[in-house]
Amino acid sequence: MKSLIADEALSPFKSTQATFLVDSLNDFKGTLIQQRAVILAEPNKIPIKINMRVMHSDGTIIEYVEFA
């Protein structure tokens, strides 16, 4: 049972195909929405960074990271 929970928790990360470092998530978020990308995970702030996951119109899932 423990591994099933771990697999579920890791599922979003396994589908991420690339990670991009950006200067401003807010700037990229607006542009991505205009390009019909889907925000899978809204910007999330943790101590050293802010990140969000996005699915582009071709199905590619990218994590965008801005260091705080």
Side-chain angles (χ1 to χ4, degrees):
M1 186 63 135
K2 193 174 188 180
S3 67
L4 178 61
I5 293 170
D7 286 344
E8 287 177 18
L10 292 175
S11 179
F13 303 103
K14 289 180 178 180
S15 63
T16 301
Q17 296 164 304
T19 300
F20 292 127
L21 179 62
V22 298
D23 292 329
S24 171
L25 279 183
N26 286 333
D27 292 346
F28 272 88
K29 183 178 177 183
T31 300
L32 292 167
I33 290 170
Q34 288 176 348
Q35 296 174 353
R36 301 182 193 259
V38 176
I39 307 300
L40 299 175
E42 290 290 332
N44 179 39
K45 187 173 185 175
I46 60 174
I48 62 167
K49 69 178 182 177
I50 306 168
N51 69 326
M52 72 177 173
R53 290 181 55 250
V54 176
M55 182 169 52
H56 290 262
S57 59
D58 67 355
T60 304
I61 298 175
I62 306 291
E63 175 190 30
Y64 291 88
V65 175
E66 172 188 340
F67 282 101

